[in-house]
Structure formats: C-alpha cells, structure tokens
Amino acid sequence: MGTPKKKKVAVLVSGGGSNLQALIHAVNKQMIPVKLGLVLSNKPGVYALKRAERFGIPTAVIDHTGFSSNEDFSLAILKRLQAAEVDLLCLAGFMRILAPCVPEAYPNRILNIHPALLPAFGGKGMYGLRVHKAVLDSGAKYSGATVHLVTAEPDKGPIVCQGLVRVEDDDTPESLARRVLEVEHRIYPVALKTLAEETLEIQGLRTRIILKEDER
Ligand code: GRF
C-alpha cells in the first residue's frame, strides 16, 4: 500500500492570521498530513495573506463588499475553493458567516475556531472582544476555545475539541483574549489532524477521536 494522498486544505481569514500561523507551523513540522493549498481572505491587505506568501502558499482575495448579497459572495468563495480542488476548509478568524451553500458542499469538512466554550457565548454578533466581555459579564470562572464543524447554523456544529482557560479576578476582555488565543493555537492543529487522518467519528452533535493502532 502506498502512502495516502495528502488532503488539500484552504484556510479562510480576515485578519492577523495567528491561527493560520499555528496551522502552517504544525504542517511544516509534519504534525498534520495535509497540504495548505490556499489562503483566502475577504479583506485585501491583511497580515494573514503576508504570512501565507512568506511560506509559498497561494492566496486569493474575494472582497465581500463587492457583492450585493451574502449568497453571491459565498457562491464566489465556493467556486474559488472548487477551482483549487480543496478537500478541507479551516475558518481561522474569518469574520463573515458563509451562506449554507458552502457547508452543504463540504459536509463535516469545514472547521471553525471560536474563542469561548461553545455552545455558550456563540452565534451571531459573538466575535472578537464581545465574546470575552460576555464571558466576564456572566461571571463564568472558566472560558476557553472551541474548534467545531461548520454547519448552516453559526457556531452550532459538532464540537471537535476544546481547551480551558481560567478566568482571573482582574481579567479584562483583552487579557482574557490573549490567553484564549494561546489555547486556540494549540487546539486548532489537533482538530485539523483528526479530519486529515479521518479519525473523527461523528454522531449527531457528539464526536469522538478514534485512536490509530500505534496511538492506543
Ligand atoms: C481568534 O480569536 C478566533 O477565535 C476568532 O478570531 C480570532 C482570529 O485571530 N474567530 P487570528 O486572525 O487567527 O490571529
């Protein structure tokens, strides 16, 4: 038996791309058997695109402001992904909610990272510092990061993995965001590995990572 063909991954970004960087690092260290085949941004000039270029990953910009509806924007994204023949998608700080045509075309093959412990503190309007402010306002003692599969409903897909962060008494949204981001960088590669190696079993909203023989 030959080595199976590496899956091709597209990473969708809108900003700094520190999660993209964590994925690039893990792929370059051969911790995840994938090829990063495309970094696609909805905003021109963002730093994530520069990170991709530095590592020789093809980039594309599809600016959402040039479309009259989110459906048309999402269809343009879908066409670009299909043209690049990607197998898997990672949303990494991608600040748009894709229309259902995208998750429908890639069922259980799209990951998103969210800076809180879903299913709490997710959904429409819950992004950036708003999430961390909501966590602090709720009085929760723990927050964290979640990687989940993307379905048509924002932040509602099956959870693949989570990492915990203790909320400190003197935390601000900014200080909490910083510690959560460190956890994001650790768990995103782990989640992508399960899709790349097809070791994720999904039953409804519950998922389970199947250990390979040499990991048991
Ligand atoms: C992260 O906190 C991620 O959870 C959220 O947006 C932020 C993106 O950060 N969706 P970066 O662009 O990966 O640095």
Side-chain angles (χ1 to χ4, degrees), residues 103-125:
E104 277 161 14
Y106 293 92
N108 293 336
R109 288 188 288 147
I110 311 179
L111 292 171
N112 179 44
I113 188 144
H114 185 78
L117 295 174
L118 292 175
F121 308 111
K124 214 165 182 278

Side-chain angles (χ1 to χ4, degrees), residues 76-200:
I77 297 248
L78 181 58
K79 274 196 192 149
R80 188 67 188 77
L81 296 170
Q82 287 170 337
E85 298 185 324
V86 304
D87 304 297
L88 303 173
L89 258 66
C90 290
L91 312 187
F94 184 66
M95 301 302 276
R96 309 299 302 173
I97 294 172
L98 290 165
C101 62
V102 181
E104 277 161 14
Y106 293 92
N108 293 336
R109 288 188 288 147
I110 311 179
L111 292 171
N112 179 44
I113 188 144
H114 185 78
L117 295 174
L118 292 175
F121 308 111
K124 214 165 182 278
M126 275 296 191
Y127 59 85
L129 289 176
R130 291 180 187 207
V131 178
H132 305 291
K133 185 173 184 311
V135 170
L136 293 178
D137 289 347
S138 78
K141 298 294 183 196
Y142 285 91
S143 188
T146 304
V147 182
H148 66 94
L149 290 160
V150 173
T151 55
E153 251 191 299
D155 295 337
K156 288 283 171 71
I159 291 170
V160 180
C161 59
Q162 293 186 307
L164 277 187
V165 171
R166 227 185 103 89
V167 176
E168 302 296 345
D169 293 344
D170 58 354
D171 258 329
T172 61
E174 290 79 5
S175 66
L176 185 55
R178 273 194 293 279
R179 295 203 310 290
V180 169
L181 194 60
E182 284 170 19
V183 171
E184 293 183 39
H185 299 161
R186 285 209 298 275
I187 67 170
Y188 214 164
V190 175
L192 179 56
K193 190 171 191 281
T194 69
L195 287 198
E197 295 179 344
E198 297 181 7
T199 52
L200 191 71

Side-chain angles (χ1 to χ4, degrees), residues 16-26 28 47 51-52 54-55:
S18 67
N19 278 292
L20 166 67
Q21 188 66 56
L23 295 176
I24 293 174
H25 179 79
N28 287 351
Y47 191 59
R51 294 186 197 264
R54 199 183 303 146
F55 287 91

Side-chain angles (χ1 to χ4, degrees), residues 2-55:
T3 337
K5 198 168 168 273
K6 282 185 181 173
K7 291 189 168 54
K8 197 170 173 186
V9 178
V11 185
L12 272 59
V13 296
S14 303
S18 67
N19 278 292
L20 166 67
Q21 188 66 56
L23 295 176
I24 293 174
H25 179 79
V27 172
N28 287 351
K29 292 262 173 222
Q30 288 171 21
M31 284 150 59
I32 322 175
V34 296
K35 179 179 166 55
L36 293 174
L38 179 68
V39 170
L40 197 160
S41 173
N42 65 307
K43 282 192 186 171
V46 294
Y47 191 59
L49 291 168
K50 296 203 172 51
R51 294 186 197 264
E53 282 159 16
R54 199 183 303 146
F55 287 91

